[in-house]
Amino acid sequence: REGYRAWPFDVEPQSTVGAGDAMVAAVAYALLAHRPLEEIARWATAAGTVTAAKSGTQVCTLEEVRSALDRVRVAALGVSCG
């Protein structure tokens, strides 16, 4: 089994409303696209970060997440998770 840690990129947080929901949606999207775990972590972190940078109850768009993926740093944990 594998494990990864993802670091969000710097944003000025406006609201955390919906950030967790955006992360869950990104996980579902990446799973349905049969992405590897490392990419799932990247998608989830990008979605949550983009959403936190929006005001009120606005959430990220698919295009915003896609454009932010390369800004998320992901590293293998280096330990077995199972």
Side-chain angles (χ1 to χ4, degrees), residues 50-65:
V50 169
T51 299
K54 293 180 167 277
S55 62
T57 59
Q58 297 179 61
V59 295
C60 58
T61 65
L62 181 58
E63 188 53 42
E64 288 172 327
V65 175

Side-chain angles (χ1 to χ4, degrees), residues 68-79:
L69 291 172
D70 63 340
R71 298 175 63 195
V72 176
R73 186 168 59 100
V74 178
L77 291 176
V79 296

Side-chain angles (χ1 to χ4, degrees), residues 18-40:
D21 294 329
M23 292 181 79
V24 171
V27 167
Y29 180 86
L31 283 171
L32 288 171
H34 305 285
R35 301 291 183 212
L37 186 56
E38 180 178 1
E39 279 190 51
I40 294 170

Side-chain angles (χ1 to χ4, degrees), residues 1 79-82:
R1 296 188 183 182
V79 296
S80 174
C81 296

